[in-house]
């Protein structure tokens, strides 16, 4: 079965599935829950609720041509399901031998994309330009946009390489914190990288401890980045969710070179990095049963900048991307249809149905901030001089709160491009770049991506200059038995390994401890 037929099957099942679902009177038509917010700023309102109309749904999903596809597959439903059950597997790159067909196919596809004329949208540089010109960062479109970007790129690779079950490999940087060996030769090499084959990404940003804390997030907004209104451009800045602000941004800077900026897809490792981010989202939804937002502002957002494997433009909505992991690919270890350790197991029809229900499960999600304790002045730190600031926190509120304790950094700017990540310590005023993230006072880390000097390098409504970040410090407060009073915050700038530093200074407009509540109301 060709990839196109496979997609046709997917479209068919999508349509059938949505027909079933939308025929039920309770889908998304429940009462609107009025936003009961106590000053939700940038992270939290969640937008309006989903009130789907059956025809809208199908149009969104299938477009005009979708109806034609329905006929094409109707008589061979069973074999369609088989094909979907055996959809291509995205594998951990470090488990593949150097001459594995996936790596050979990936290299061949890249070589061919580089040879395509500049007039072809599948041309290697043109693919990177899609990212350069359109990628949303620091808002809740980050995950679905990159999911769609990867899917269409994967299809281009499949077609050009001729490998019918080609699927992009992923780089699990938690397990293997150095750029994997296959990316150091042939078409998978990018000679601009700052990292070398022996550079090791910091556990502060990609290690098992921080990753399990991020995966334990139940609030979509703090996991997947903050909300923006439907009418706002897709590059409008909100707050970086922890997945984006910590491992995602860090790995871009850690690899450096092309990876440090918006032409980063010129580095073949970009796709393996984002495939890992995608794997985290799949695991979060399907294995950990976390809910995405039900906001229409998110679900009905459409992207029009991608092209399919034939170079034709496509339009894809966020809603449609939710079903990609059920119909178009699977991971070797997590999510729907994961083959697991043993023989590749195909998912049954019942499993596929359960997965597509899960894919569409959603909730009205907010982050309600109850109290704020702010550092009175902007924070300034430089490479050789950590910032130590005092944060006065009312012990009574902290004691009685019982919700989440978040440390928010708003308006973070650098004096140049990003060359470091930021580590935060509580009540350890003597912390330095040498203080390990295993120290009990370590509260978290964040990093920058495509940040430049404030005011410089700002393109078409894209604010490259400032970022808003958030850490969850509940665990560290408990561990250190901090019950309020004055908390000392130390911000340490830690250079990426082996880097010639240009960036020296960081400033942050607002630093706050926020007592907040997750409000997650599942849709019926
Ligand atoms: Cu839009 Cu990690 O890049």
């Amino acid at each position: 079965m060709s990839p196109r037929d496979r997609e046709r099957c997917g479209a068919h099942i999508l349509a059938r599935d949505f027909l079933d679902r939308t025929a039920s009177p309770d889908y998304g038509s429940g009462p609107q829950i009025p936003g009961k917010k106590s000053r939700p700023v940038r992270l939290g309102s969640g937008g309006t609720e989903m009130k789907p109309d059956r025809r809208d749904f199908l149009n969104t999903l299938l477009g005009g041509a979708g109806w034609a596809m329905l006929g094409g597959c109707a008589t061979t439903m069973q074999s369609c399901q088989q094909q979907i059950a055996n959809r291509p597997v995205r594998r951990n790159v470090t488990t593949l031998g150097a001459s594995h067909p996936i790596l050979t196919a990936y290299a061949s596809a890249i070589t061919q994309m580089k040879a395509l004329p500049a007039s072809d949208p599948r041309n290697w540089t043109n693919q990177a330009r899609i990212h350069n010109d359109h990628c949303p960062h620091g808002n809740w479109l980050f995950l679905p946009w990159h999911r769609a970007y990867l899917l269409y790129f994967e299809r281009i690779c499949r077609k050009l390489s001729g490998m019918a079950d080609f699927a992009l490999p992923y780089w699990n940087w938690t397990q293997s914190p150095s750029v994997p060996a296959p990316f150091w030769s042939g078409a998978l090499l990018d000679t601009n990288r700052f990292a070398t084959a022996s550079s090791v990404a910091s556990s502060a940003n990609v290690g098992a401890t921080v990753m399990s804390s991020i995966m334990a997030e139940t609030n979509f907004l703090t996991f997947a980045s903050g909300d923006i209104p439907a009418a706002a451009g897709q590059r409008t800045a909100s707050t970086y969710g922890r997945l984006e602000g910590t491992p995602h941004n860090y790995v871009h800077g850690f690899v450096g070179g092309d990876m440090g900026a918006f032409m980063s897809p010129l580095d073949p490792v970009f796709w393996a990095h984002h495939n890992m981010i995608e794997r985290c989202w799949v695991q979060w939804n399907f294995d950990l049963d976390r809910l995405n937002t039900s906001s229409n502002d998110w679900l009905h957002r459409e992207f029009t900048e991608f092209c399919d494997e034939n170079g034709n433009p496509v339009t894809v909505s966020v809603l449609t991307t939710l079903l990609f992991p059920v119909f178009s690919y699977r991971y070797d270890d997590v999510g729907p249809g994961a083959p697991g350790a043993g023989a590749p197991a195909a998912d049954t029809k019942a499993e596929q149905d359960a997965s597509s229900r899960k894919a569409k499960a959603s909730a009205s999600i907010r982050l309600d901030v109850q109290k704020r304790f702010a550092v009175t002045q902007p924070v300034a730190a430089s490479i050789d001089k950590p910032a130590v600031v005092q944060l006065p926190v009312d012990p009574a509120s902290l004691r009685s709160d019982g919700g989440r304790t978040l440390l928010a950094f708003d308006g973070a700017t650098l004096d140049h491009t990003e060359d470091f990540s930021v580590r935060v310590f509580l009540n350890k005023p003597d912390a330095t770049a040498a203080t390990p993230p295993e120290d009990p006072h370590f509260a978290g880390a964040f990093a920058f991506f495509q940040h430049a000097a404030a005011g410089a390098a700002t393109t078409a409504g894209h604010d490259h200059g400032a970022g808003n970040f958030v850490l969850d410090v509940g665990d560290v407060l408990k561990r250190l038995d901090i019950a309020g009073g004055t908390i000392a915050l130390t911000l340490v700038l830690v250079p990426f390994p082996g880097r010639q530093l240009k960036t020296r200074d960081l400033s942050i407009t607002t630093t706050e401890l926020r007592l907040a509540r997750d409000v997650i109301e599942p849709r019926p």
Side-chain angles (χ1 to χ4, degrees):
M1 181 179 268
S2 76
R4 178 161 287 267
D5 287 344
R6 193 193 318 278
E7 288 315 316
R8 188 174 294 171
C9 288
H12 176 79
I13 289 172
L14 280 173
R16 182 181 51 83
D17 193 62
F18 267 84
L19 276 166
D20 290 352
R21 193 82 165 102
T22 51
S24 116
D26 63 355
Y27 188 36
S29 56
Q32 189 117 345
I33 291 137
K36 222 181 73 196
K37 318 154 196 166
S38 54
R39 251 186 102 200
V41 178
R42 280 185 288 243
L43 246 193
S45 69
T48 55
E49 293 310 305
M50 182 171 178
K51 266 193 193 147
D53 164 81
R54 173 173 159 154
R55 179 156 307 157
D56 270 6
F57 248 111
L58 293 168
N59 285 343
T60 309
L61 277 169
L62 302 172
W67 290 104
M69 287 180 187
L70 291 181
C73 225
T75 54
T76 55
M77 271 300 296
Q78 208 155 18
S79 98
C80 278
Q81 241 136 23
Q82 274 317 108
Q83 292 300 327
I84 287 163
N86 293 303
R87 63 200 181 278
V89 180
R90 294 182 170 183
R91 298 182 190 280
N92 182 336
V93 71
T94 56
T95 65
L96 307 176
S99 57
H100 193 284
I102 288 179
L103 296 174
T104 315
Y106 190 24
S108 149
I110 291 171
T111 306
Q112 293 181 66
M113 288 168 85
K114 286 181 175 166
L116 288 173
S119 58
D120 191 319
R122 300 169 303 171
N123 164 286
W124 182 247
T125 309
N126 289 342
Q127 283 290 304
R129 276 203 188 104
I130 293 176
H131 187 266
N132 188 67
D133 297 346
H134 303 282
C135 64
H137 282 272
N139 70 48
W140 63 5
L141 301 177
F142 167 71
L143 288 177
W145 190 93
H146 289 83
R147 170 176 283 178
Y149 187 43
L150 253 65
L151 179 92
Y152 292 111
F153 175 80
E154 183 172 74
R155 286 191 192 172
I156 295 169
C157 291
R158 195 176 291 152
K159 166 142 187 181
L160 294 179
S161 69
M163 182 184 182
D165 61 347
F166 174 81
L168 283 169
Y170 65 89
W171 169 23
N172 185 332
W173 17 250
T174 301
Q175 240 174 48
S176 319
S178 297
V179 175
F183 292 95
W184 292 103
S185 65
L188 303 193
L189 175 67
D190 181 330
T191 51
N192 289 330
R193 286 176 200 141
F194 293 146
T196 65
S198 57
S199 307
V200 178
S202 166
S203 64
N205 293 273
V206 303
T209 308
V210 62
M211 286 313 296
S212 64
S213 162
I214 291 172
M215 296 304 283
E217 274 284 343
T218 54
N219 190 323
F220 176 81
L221 300 167
T222 38
F223 176 76
S225 302
D227 55 304
I228 56 169
Q234 70 187 37
R235 292 185 139 180
T236 304
S238 176
T239 296
Y240 284 99
R242 296 171 63 202
L243 183 63
E244 185 180 4
T246 301
H248 168 267
N249 284 3
Y250 177 86
V251 169
H252 274 281
F254 163 75
V255 177
D258 286 326
M259 273 289 273
F262 279 176
M263 284 301 277
S264 44
L266 288 177
D267 188 333
V269 86
F270 168 94
W271 305 92
H273 170 43
H274 268 276
N275 202 3
M276 177 64 181
I277 295 290
E278 166 66 12
R279 177 183 165 280
C280 292
W281 187 22
V282 167
Q283 186 180 16
W284 194 77
N285 279 151
F286 293 93
D287 294 349
L288 301 170
D289 294 334
R290 317 286 193 219
L291 297 170
N292 297 324
T293 176
S294 59
S295 168
N296 275 329
D297 295 356
W298 187 68
L299 288 165
H300 293 307
R301 182 65 83 142
E302 286 189 340
F303 308 120
T304 55
E305 51 270 29
F306 304 118
C307 76
D308 70 10
E309 67 276 20
N310 299 309
N312 298 316
V314 289
T315 295
V316 59
S317 68
V318 168
L319 185 60
T320 309
T321 68
L322 300 182
L323 289 145
F324 289 175
V326 183
F327 295 115
S328 302
Y329 50 83
R330 50 190 172 143
Y331 285 88
D332 56 357
D333 60 347
V334 301
D347 43 7
T348 62
K349 179 181 178 305
E351 282 164 342
Q352 285 170 21
D353 287 349
S355 297
S356 50
R357 272 195 301 278
K358 222 178 239 194
K360 291 173 294 178
S362 64
S364 168
I365 296 172
R366 303 195 310 271
L367 180 74
D368 286 356
V369 178
Q370 320 274 327
K371 278 232 161 70
R372 296 156 189 272
F373 301 97
V375 173
T376 49
Q377 277 163 5
V379 171
S382 63
I383 280 288
D384 0 75
K385 200 170 167 295
V388 185
V389 293
Q390 307 299 327
L391 183 67
V393 179
D394 167 37
S397 325
L398 194 58
R399 227 182 359 255
S400 67
D401 182 63
R404 301 184 66 180
T405 329
L406 301 170
L407 198 50
F409 303 96
D410 284 352
T413 52
L414 312 176
D415 65 331
H416 203 278
T417 55
E418 65 289 348
D419 284 316
F420 53 75
S421 72
V422 181
R423 290 186 194 163
V424 181
F425 295 86
L426 301 192
N427 286 350
K428 189 165 178 68
D430 60 347
T432 66
T435 311
E438 289 71 29
D439 186 287
H441 299 264
F442 176 65
F446 58 91
F448 301 89
F449 177 41
Q450 182 94 6
H451 286 74
T458 304
T459 57
H462 198 176
D463 183 5
H464 292 179
N468 305 319
F469 297 90
V470 66
L471 302 176
D472 188 311
V473 293
D475 285 349
V476 61
L477 288 176
K478 243 179 251 150
R479 185 164 64 231
L480 299 177
D481 211 8
I482 297 176
T486 298
I487 303 173
L489 292 184
T490 307
L491 275 73
V492 183
L493 277 41
V494 183
F496 291 116
R499 192 65 52 91
Q500 281 293 2
L501 289 177
K502 292 188 200 133
T503 323
R504 310 200 55 81
D505 299 315
L506 165 74
S507 69
I508 297 171
T509 315
T510 306
T511 304
E512 279 186 347
L513 191 78
R514 294 179 186 159
L515 305 184
R517 284 195 210 296
D518 292 327
V519 180
I520 302 171
E521 290 155 347
R523 306 305 296 162

